Amino acid sequence: MLKIKNIHARVEDKTILNGINLDVKPGEVHAIMGPNGSGKSTLASVLAGREDFEVTEGSIEFLGKDLLKMSPEDRAREGVFLAFQYPVEIPGVSTVNFMKTALNKIREYRGQDTLDAVSFLTLMKEKIKLVDIDQSLLSRSLNESFSGGEKKRNEIFQMAMLEPKLAILDETDSGLDIDALRIVANGVNKLQTKDNATIIVTHYQRLLDYIVPDYVHVLYNGKIVKSGTKELAMELEEKGYDWIKSEMEVA
Amino acid sequence: MSKDNQVLEEFTSREYEHGWTVDLDSDTAPKGLSEDIVRFISAKKEEPEWLLEWRLKAYRHWKTMKEPKWPNVKYPSINYQDIIYYSAPKQKAQPKNLSEVDPELIKTFEKLGISLTEQKRLTGVAVDAVIDSISVATTFKDKLGELGIIFCSFSEAVREHPELVKKYLGTVVPPNDNYFAALNSAVFSDGSFCYIPKGVRCPMELSTYFRINAANTGQFERTLIIAEDDSYVSYLEGCTAPMRDENQLHAAVVELYAMKSAEIKYSTVQNWYPGDKDGKGGIYNFVTKRGICAGDHSKISWTQVETGAAITWKYPSCILKGDYSNGEFYSVAVTNNFQQADTGTKMIHIGKNTRSRIVSKGISAGKSQNSYRGQVHILKRAENARNFSQCDSLLMGDQCGAHTFPYIDVENKSAHVEHEATTSKIGEDQIFYCLQRGIDEEAAVALIVNGYAKEVLKQLPMEFAVEAQKLLALTLEGSVG
Amino acid sequence: MNTATKKENISSSFIESFDFAQFQFAVEQRTKAYEAFKAMGLPDAKSEEYKFAPVSKWLTKHFSAAELSTQAIAANESVKDLLNPEFAENRVVFVNGFYNKALSSITSDSKITIQPLGEAIASNPSLPFDQLNTTDPFGLVNSTLWSDGLYINVPKNITEKKPLFIHYLHDASSNKVSAHTKLFVTVGENASFNIIEKTDTLGDQPVFNTINEEIIVEENAFFNYCKIQNDAGQLTHVANTTIHQHKSSRTDTYTFTLNGKLIRNNLNIIIDGEGCDSHFYGLYLTNGDTLVDNHTTVDHKKPNSFSNQLYKGLMDGKSKGVFNGKIFVRPHAQKTNAFQSNRNLLLSEDTTVNTKPQLEIWADDVKCSHGCTTGQLDKEALFYLQSRGIPKATAKAMLLYAFAGEVLDVIKDEQLKNYIDSIVSERLHKVY
């Protein structure tokens, strides 16, 4: 589904990704871990198409298409979803209105009929249950004066609405208490099917207690330096990132 | 960036939707202004002597005045002798009802999306249609008449209700108030008149639709709304003009008079021709709008969505004379290309426990200049007055400007006045967030701008709110730089 | 002179009676300033910039044109009693507009030039003072009639922590005083300098005093500047202070207005380099019939700079407060952050406040905001304190002090902070 080959990327003059290779198949959950500044969030941004990041080398194929050639909105319409680490506030625009616009734009792109208000609301009610989000939150301005937990839950709610093929969760666990973490993870798990894939970008292992990854990759200095299964995450938690760092230096 | 430029280019080349003209046979005064022209207008309208005198007095005063230079707008000086002060579409006789109105005129308004045929109107909005200088039709008059509400053209009011006109004309905006008000007082041709009797809640929106058609003409209409004790009225005003290379002058006066516990809600969606993308042509919109809350517990609320005109210079204001009276001003002013807007409000607190609220949202794009200018004046006897002002500016592109000039003058220590202003641009993060959810850039801008202006748009009656939203999106599509 | 004209406005006769042939130095600049002033005249009641500060009216009432344009006479010995013992260590004293060597004692780093401006111009006629040409009418009066001034040059890399105290004294015990001085400061690259400035008047004859100040803060330099206006005389004072900031420099200014007749401070900051940091604080605590008018202009000409203004006013008696703050962000000054806040408390029935914050922005990637409030003391807070057993008068003083505290707290120099603090707290506790 997603084939990342030798991706190099930079911001202004600073190279951040230094040759990433990653293969993601439908139904898989991949976790990307690494210390601060290793390039985890950059990878997520490159996949979503943020302009600040310039890809200098390599290719990304998504469902057989060249992802790097697509605009951010077309990537979204093809099924790439990024749950933001810091969701922005848009004053005056409610989540409901926002989602209705987004969903209908995506449906138009796919040649489907747009949803009228009634069928949209029916769909919304159904998804609300999935992520256990307070409905009144959805009529408030997008992310404005939301708590950290509310913002993250709202991201998962949007993911449920848009039913992406590839979901990228960028530090979705940061700033969440254990209950919020469980709710968010639950939502993600319920949305996981054999046809879609998830990439979890995280610093800590704790989210992986709730969303069990098939693969764990460790990112360091813009490269994947170690790949393994869930056990790798446990080992990292135990030994800390210094373990990777010293191992790299030895090598 | 290059993509943004492309979108910007696309947008700036977008044409003004209402830029067509219609060949109407019209009755026109010779160019220029003199006492004779004033007499000509008054005679054409078969006005009583007192009104002619009133006009002449205003004209003589105007001659002693100088055009104001303090607004933050630039334009070549206007040659007042090069303007036609009176142009009326020719009609055989005063139409008694719609079937007698020139079908060409009805078509003009149909083209603007305004149906004058009552059965075709879906919503409960009564319309007074003013083309060039003359009111051509007023709908739902009979129905309103049953409630004692008078809604008619200004000329008709002069004929049918001279005592009301004489009593209130110029009481809120005196003829010598300012340069353009004096000019209007001398040469005003028509406009709307509205009277709501005591205790009546006007059951439908009253609306005037202004259209400039003829070339080289100025439009000088006058609106007077009187709300007696405990009455309520919501009034809407819309405007468009054809595309012409030369600038046209629109100098209107609106007077609102609210008595005890009366409420007047006045909404404007202004879409005059703004000129082309190089700044050629367009309407000079120099308007004086003022309301007085004369009675205790009265309320006047101004809402405006300003998207058109080459230059806008207007400050819908409230004189809060009655105790516990309340003034509101909600404004969205959008400028693009070479448009200039200097707009805002004055809240003059005279009575005790008076309240005012100002919400102004400016949006500048292209090479335009957008200024908020407002005054909150708490007079010495205005015990316990309160004001809250919020003025936000949104900038799109790096060649436009946003300016705020709030004057706050407080003479009473019990006053509580708060003013907040911010300037920002549409965040790249906000756009990217929308893009990531599959919303393209144009839709994202429309979404964000409408969200930004929501506090004002929600003040508009439903039918207008939808129109205003579309207008905003259309005016600003793709202008993120 | 014609009394009829005098009643209207002193402007034209004032212009006619200008006699600057008496000056030996800076003749060229004086002539230029005079021509500009002649074209402008004194501001009348319709002037937008001076509509709340009737300086011209006051001048017309108290001075003849000749009195205004004549240099002040020698002062009485006792004028030195006005000197502050707190700031005796490193000070420059002017009396009636002239540098007074006997009362001055300079202990700043010897590498720093501190000398009377007239003297400095005599030894270096090309000294580039008066470069940031003012357009203020009283600034032009100053540039025409100035009698003396101070030149300070802080060379590159010199850090002087010890503030220089500049004291302007007027002896108005038997004569009217018209005194006009200049200050020209360059703070070199990487250097740092501190100025505290104060005026005091002996006697109760009217004093008309203008000060023009031009300060150039070079790259990475730091300039700290404090004005203390607590003059018990009949003083009308117009200050035109222009600070020109270069790349990565920092400026902090403090303006405390506690007394005086009619005080007008024009503070102009030109941010002409990237990465500048500028903070302006003001506190006006007025009573009686004092009128204080603070006009500030912050002109962001280059990107990536930060400016913050906080002006607070506590007005009692029949005093008037005026605040006019302009922020300009020029077309290419992207990523500018400019903030401004003006808060006023009105304490009596007869005070007024006129504020006009003004934002003019031509760049799109900026964060700018201004806010202003005018109101009374928070009754809830007052009640809360009273309900805890604090007498009303004390509670009121505490709250007012807390209101002023926001500006007092940011003063970095401890000695200065204690001095201002003692005046403010004494005033607040005595009055309430």
Side-chain angles (χ1 to χ4, degrees):
Chain A
M1 158 186 268
L2 180 74
K3 290 195 178 83
I4 304 179
K5 279 191 191 136
N6 192 31
I7 277 292
H8 288 68
R10 63 178 185 195
V11 177
E12 286 166 1
D13 291 334
K14 200 174 167 225
T15 302
I16 300 192
L17 298 184
N18 242 324
I20 302 257
N21 291 290
L22 184 66
D23 227 350
V24 179
K25 294 189 179 63
E28 290 179 352
V29 176
H30 289 244
I32 299 197
M33 301 184 69
N36 291 327
S38 59
K40 303 183 304 278
S41 283
T42 301
L43 180 61
S45 295
V46 165
L47 288 171
R50 203 188 271 273
E51 263 183 33
D52 308 344
F53 298 89
E54 191 193 343
V55 175
T56 50
E57 216 183 312
S59 67
I60 303 176
E61 198 185 292
F62 179 63
L63 298 169
K65 290 181 184 162
D66 183 352
L67 191 73
L68 294 177
K69 282 213 173 111
M70 287 184 227
S71 64
E73 61 269 37
D74 282 349
R75 295 181 199 204
R77 292 160 184 179
E78 289 288 345
V80 176
F81 181 93
L82 173 65
F84 287 71
Q85 185 180 1
Y86 304 109
V88 296
E89 300 178 356
I90 306 185
V93 177
S94 68
T95 304
V96 177
N97 184 10
F98 180 67
M99 268 300 100
K100 191 168 174 236
T101 312
L103 188 62
N104 280 335
K105 288 280 179 187
I106 292 174
R107 291 181 69 93
E108 266 173 41
Y109 179 84
R110 293 178 185 164
Q112 296 161 316
D113 287 339
T114 55
L115 293 184
D116 60 22
V118 177
S119 27
F120 175 80
L121 284 177
T122 318
L123 179 69
M124 199 179 88
K125 289 225 168 93
E126 183 189 309
K127 303 293 184 183
I128 283 171
K129 284 183 215 138
L130 215 58
V131 287
D132 195 16
I133 194 167
D134 186 353
Q135 197 175 343
S136 69
L137 206 63
L138 303 179
S139 23
R140 278 167 42 191
S141 285
L142 192 57
N143 294 324
E144 207 178 34
S145 58
F146 280 26
S147 71
E150 286 170 338
K151 282 185 183 170
K152 295 294 167 74
R153 229 185 280 183
N154 190 347
E155 292 292 291
I156 304 305
F157 163 73
Q158 294 181 29
M159 177 174 148
M161 289 297 292
L162 302 180
E163 298 179 323
K165 298 197 181 75
L166 174 67
I168 305 154
L169 310 182
D170 187 7
E171 306 270 4
T172 297
D173 51 335
S174 67
L176 291 187
D177 62 36
I178 204 73
D179 291 330
L181 188 70
R182 195 178 291 135
I183 292 165
V184 165
N186 238 331
V188 175
N189 285 334
K190 282 186 209 157
L191 294 169
Q192 183 66 36
T193 68
K194 65 177 177 33
D195 298 319
N196 61 22
T198 307
I199 297 176
I200 300 165
V201 175
T202 181
H203 184 83
Y204 303 103
Q205 179 265 344
R206 59 174 200 161
L207 180 63
L208 307 182
D209 286 342
Y210 300 97
I211 308 171
V212 183
D214 300 304
Y215 301 97
V216 174
H217 311 278
V218 181
L219 204 59
Y220 183 65
N221 278 344
K223 264 189 172 154
I224 291 177
V225 292
K226 231 179 174 45
S227 292
T229 54
K230 171 108 177 52
E231 282 65 43
L232 177 58
M234 307 288 278
E235 202 175 351
L236 263 180
E237 186 78 1
E238 205 176 296
K239 298 183 178 169
Y241 285 110
D242 286 343
W243 163 57
I244 296 285
K245 287 181 192 169
S246 54
E247 207 167 77
M248 288 308 296
E249 270 150 32
V250 171
Chain B
M1 270 304 142
S2 64
K3 189 191 155 220
D4 290 339
N5 284 341
Q6 195 188 327
V7 184
L8 192 67
E9 186 60 31
E10 214 170 273
F11 151 72
T12 45
S13 57
R14 192 181 293 276
E15 294 203 349
Y16 179 66
E17 210 189 351
H18 301 290
W20 40 269
T21 58
V22 177
D23 252 339
L24 292 172
D25 195 7
S26 56
D27 198 358
T28 303
K31 260 188 192 174
L33 185 54
S34 63
E35 287 209 3
D36 287 344
I37 291 289
V38 175
R39 285 177 201 283
F40 171 88
I41 295 169
S42 190
K44 272 277 168 207
K45 307 186 71 64
E46 298 165 19
E47 282 175 359
E49 191 59 27
W50 67 265
L51 191 51
L52 173 63
E53 280 310 315
W54 195 84
R55 284 173 181 276
L56 287 171
K57 208 174 143 196
Y59 171 70
R60 287 167 197 147
H61 194 89
W62 177 75
K63 283 211 303 190
T64 68
M65 297 171 97
K66 282 202 181 96
E67 203 173 317
K69 290 283 174 248
W70 50 262
N72 192 26
V73 297
K74 289 190 185 74
Y75 56 94
S77 61
I78 298 169
N79 181 354
Y80 290 91
Q81 295 308 330
D82 201 34
I83 295 172
I84 295 167
Y85 288 87
Y86 183 84
S87 171
K90 243 181 213 161
Q91 294 200 29
K92 276 149 210 102
Q94 189 63 33
K96 295 275 180 302
N97 58 48
L98 216 54
S99 61
E100 288 179 27
V101 174
D102 183 347
E104 203 48 47
L105 279 177
I106 294 180
K107 259 193 249 159
T108 303
F109 280 92
E110 298 272 348
K111 219 166 161 180
L112 292 166
I114 314 280
S115 175
L116 299 179
T117 15
E118 287 171 19
Q119 56 270 41
K120 280 194 193 161
R121 296 290 304 178
L122 295 170
T123 46
V125 181
V127 180
D128 183 26
V130 177
I131 195 154
D132 290 336
S133 297
I134 290 297
S135 169
V136 292
T138 309
T139 61
F140 288 107
K141 239 155 109 175
D142 299 343
K143 196 173 167 203
L144 293 168
E146 286 165 23
L147 293 163
I149 296 171
I150 303 167
F151 179 46
C152 62
S153 73
F154 206 91
S155 314
E156 191 181 332
V158 171
R159 280 195 309 274
E160 308 291 330
H161 311 282
E163 70 299 338
L164 283 173
V165 176
K166 202 171 172 179
K167 187 170 172 193
Y168 292 103
L169 179 67
T171 54
V172 189
V173 180
N176 58 2
D177 187 80
N178 67 69
Y179 190 78
F180 296 109
L183 179 64
N184 174 287
S185 301
V187 302
F188 75 89
S189 34
D190 212 339
S192 298
F193 176 86
C194 173
Y195 174 85
I196 316 292
K198 199 168 166 174
V200 173
R201 250 190 101 81
C202 183
M204 60 178 77
E205 306 284 346
L206 302 186
S207 151
T208 300
Y209 204 90
F210 296 108
R211 166 90 186 161
I212 297 181
N213 194 54
N216 293 320
T217 53
Q219 180 147 337
F220 306 93
E221 75 277 347
R222 203 158 176 116
T223 301
L224 176 58
I225 300 176
I226 302 151
E228 290 274 10
D229 293 359
D230 301 303
S231 65
Y232 167 86
V233 62
S234 168
Y235 189 90
L236 318 172
E237 176 200 286
C239 1
T240 61
M243 275 157 49
R244 294 192 190 279
D245 283 348
E246 75 274 16
N247 298 105
Q248 281 178 284
L249 179 63
H250 171 250
V253 170
V254 175
E255 297 180 279
L256 310 183
Y257 205 101
M259 292 180 218
K260 195 171 153 260
S261 301
E263 180 177 350
I264 302 174
K265 207 170 142 62
Y266 195 104
S267 315
T268 306
V269 174
Q270 185 265 101
N271 186 25
W272 292 120
Y273 176 52
D276 68 10
K277 68 178 171 44
D278 300 317
K280 196 166 190 207
I283 302 291
Y284 291 165
N285 189 37
F286 301 154
V287 173
T288 307
K289 290 184 169 176
R290 194 177 303 150
I292 182 165
C293 284
D296 295 352
H297 297 279
S298 56
K299 179 176 176 183
I300 287 177
S301 174
W302 298 99
T303 303
Q304 60 173 21
V305 176
E306 301 281 319
T307 65
I311 300 176
T312 296
W313 179 92
K314 75 180 228 196
Y315 314 91
S317 304
C318 298
I319 300 168
L320 303 170
K321 186 159 169 268
D323 293 347
Y324 295 95
S325 62
N326 192 342
E328 290 177 341
F329 174 75
Y330 296 94
S331 169
V332 179
V334 190
T335 53
N336 205 336
N337 297 322
F338 285 87
Q339 278 178 278
Q340 306 174 58
D342 194 301
T343 183
T345 183
K346 275 187 190 180
M347 293 291 173
I348 312 295
H349 291 254
I350 301 172
K352 295 185 174 63
N353 296 298
T354 44
R355 300 275 181 277
S356 65
R357 184 180 169 84
I358 298 170
V359 178
S360 163
K361 304 270 183 179
I363 303 168
S364 335
K367 292 180 173 156
S368 67
Q369 298 294 328
N370 202 328
S371 303
Y372 166 81
R373 186 186 303 275
Q375 185 188 26
V376 175
H377 192 169
I378 313 284
L379 273 75
K380 201 160 172 55
R381 58 158 290 227
E383 276 302 311
N384 220 4
R386 295 282 179 272
N387 161 268
F388 175 77
S389 307
Q390 172 77 46
C391 301
D392 296 329
S393 305
L394 194 66
L395 291 151
M396 303 169 100
D398 52 7
Q399 295 179 71
C400 52
H403 316 271
T404 55
F405 306 92
Y407 295 71
I408 295 135
D409 301 313
V410 180
E411 293 168 26
N412 185 303
K413 74 159 186 166
S414 62
H416 198 94
V417 177
E418 278 177 84
H419 173 96
E420 297 292 338
T422 63
T423 299
S424 56
K425 72 169 201 165
I426 290 189
E428 279 165 24
D429 287 350
Q430 290 174 325
I431 300 262
F432 183 72
Y433 192 80
C434 295
L435 293 178
Q436 212 299 310
R437 297 296 183 257
I439 300 168
D440 57 71
E441 186 159 324
E442 291 211 349
V445 170
L447 198 69
I448 295 167
V449 165
N450 278 316
Y452 167 78
K454 193 176 180 185
E455 218 181 325
V456 176
L457 296 177
K458 74 176 187 207
Q459 299 295 328
L460 289 171
M462 202 48 163
E463 306 78 26
F464 261 35
V466 176
E467 193 188 324
Q469 263 193 34
K470 278 192 209 144
L471 206 55
L472 281 187
L474 194 77
T475 318
L476 285 168
E477 263 174 7
S479 38
V480 171
Chain C
M1 74 165 296
N2 186 332
T3 43
T5 333
K6 192 181 166 185
K7 259 181 206 147
E8 268 177 22
N9 196 325
I10 200 166
S11 192
S12 53
S13 52
F14 183 30
I15 290 168
E16 281 160 26
S17 69
F18 264 26
D19 172 25
F20 50 90
Q22 53 183 316
F23 301 108
Q24 314 297 309
F25 52 92
V27 178
E28 194 188 321
Q29 288 88 343
R30 286 174 199 274
T31 316
K32 224 174 103 191
Y34 174 67
E35 291 302 325
F37 175 66
K38 217 163 76 175
M40 192 185 287
L42 289 174
D44 59 16
K46 282 184 193 147
S47 153
E48 174 72 19
E49 289 295 303
Y50 278 87
K51 74 174 173 190
F52 298 115
V55 180
S56 307
K57 197 176 146 198
W58 185 87
L59 290 177
T60 308
K61 191 173 167 196
H62 294 285
F63 281 86
S64 72
E67 281 166 342
L68 270 180
S69 53
T70 308
Q71 293 299 305
I73 19 61
N76 197 302
E77 267 289 294
S78 61
V79 78
K80 71 173 196 293
D81 297 343
L82 294 168
L83 289 170
N84 284 81
E86 296 89 345
F87 304 108
E89 209 229 323
N90 184 26
R91 78 179 165 212
V92 171
V93 179
F94 284 79
V95 178
N96 287 353
F98 290 91
Y99 177 69
N100 187 310
K101 199 171 179 191
L103 296 179
S104 303
S105 75
I106 300 167
T107 61
S108 288
D109 190 319
S110 60
K111 292 185 204 74
I112 300 172
T113 310
I114 300 175
Q115 69 179 137
L117 187 56
E119 215 174 86
I121 294 170
S123 61
N124 176 16
S126 60
L127 191 73
F129 77 103
D130 230 340
Q131 290 301 295
L132 312 166
N133 295 318
T134 178
T135 53
D136 180 78
F138 299 103
L140 293 170
V141 166
N142 177 287
S143 287
T144 312
L145 291 178
W146 65 287
S147 46
D148 206 347
L150 196 64
Y151 169 56
I152 300 171
N153 178 33
V154 187
K156 201 168 159 178
N157 299 329
I158 301 291
T159 296
E160 174 58 275
K161 288 221 164 69
K162 190 165 48 188
L164 177 70
F165 184 68
I166 308 175
H167 209 161
Y168 299 96
L169 304 179
H170 306 116
D171 176 8
S173 46
S174 49
N175 290 296
K176 295 172 187 175
V177 177
S178 173
H180 312 279
T181 58
K182 275 188 185 294
L183 174 70
F184 177 53
V185 184
T186 52
V187 186
E189 199 179 319
N190 235 354
S192 163
F193 201 63
N194 249 305
I195 289 176
I196 300 170
E197 184 192 286
K198 191 166 179 267
T199 51
D200 277 297
T201 298
L202 187 70
D204 53 10
Q205 290 293 313
V207 178
F208 175 48
N209 171 226
T210 69
I211 305 185
N212 275 21
E213 302 174 308
E214 292 185 5
I215 295 129
I216 294 163
V217 188
E218 298 286 359
E219 187 172 333
N220 214 28
F222 174 69
F223 181 63
N224 194 75
Y225 170 79
C226 174
K227 248 180 205 304
I228 304 168
Q229 304 176 315
N230 191 19
D231 197 308
Q234 298 295 305
L235 172 80
T236 285
H237 171 90
V238 182
N240 277 287
T241 307
T242 305
I243 302 177
H244 200 272
Q245 277 191 261
H246 291 276
K247 194 173 157 190
S248 303
S249 61
R250 176 173 171 136
T251 296
D252 290 357
T253 71
Y254 307 87
T255 307
F256 297 99
T257 310
L258 306 159
N259 203 354
K261 188 80 197 157
L262 205 171
I263 307 296
R264 166 65 173 255
N265 297 312
N266 295 320
L267 176 64
N268 305 309
I269 314 294
I270 300 164
I271 295 178
D272 202 6
E274 291 199 38
C276 292
D277 206 348
S278 315
H279 300 257
F280 320 106
Y281 303 99
L283 177 68
Y284 37 104
L285 176 60
T286 55
N287 208 333
D289 58 356
T290 298
L291 187 155
V292 56
D293 181 347
N294 278 301
H295 269 57
T296 68
T297 304
V298 182
D299 192 350
H300 282 270
K301 291 190 158 168
K302 294 279 160 66
N304 288 311
S305 287
F306 172 90
S307 71
N308 182 36
Q309 291 178 70
L310 174 65
Y311 273 73
K312 300 188 96 170
L314 279 161
M315 273 149 293
D316 206 342
K318 289 183 169 166
S319 66
K320 285 189 162 75
V322 181
F323 176 78
N324 180 311
K326 299 186 183 81
I327 297 176
F328 298 109
V329 181
R330 302 288 171 184
H332 302 292
Q334 298 292 8
K335 309 263 181 215
T336 288
N337 283 347
F339 306 101
Q340 183 190 72
S341 172
N342 174 229
R343 316 246 167 249
N344 299 287
L345 285 183
L346 305 187
L347 304 174
S348 92
E349 304 297 332
D350 297 313
T351 58
T352 59
V353 62
N354 305 96
T355 107
K356 184 189 169 197
Q358 184 173 329
L359 288 176
E360 297 211 44
I361 293 159
W362 290 272
D364 69 335
D365 192 4
V366 297
K367 270 195 207 117
C368 294
S369 71
H370 67 218
C372 63
T373 56
T374 296
Q376 276 175 297
L377 212 52
D378 184 349
K379 283 184 188 134
E380 284 296 310
L382 196 62
F383 179 71
Y384 185 81
L385 264 67
Q386 283 178 270
S387 73
R388 293 292 179 269
I390 299 166
K392 190 170 179 181
T394 314
K396 203 169 165 187
M398 281 171 77
L399 290 174
L400 295 177
Y401 182 73
F403 178 83
E406 206 184 339
V407 177
L408 300 177
D409 287 348
V410 292
I411 306 174
K412 289 193 195 79
D413 187 289
E414 279 303 316
Q415 194 195 1
L416 176 64
K417 188 187 218 157
N418 293 337
Y419 176 71
I420 303 280
D421 194 285
S422 65
I423 302 178
V424 170
S425 61
E426 192 196 318
R427 270 275 282 282
L428 292 176
H429 282 92
K430 194 163 67 188
V431 178
Y432 307 103

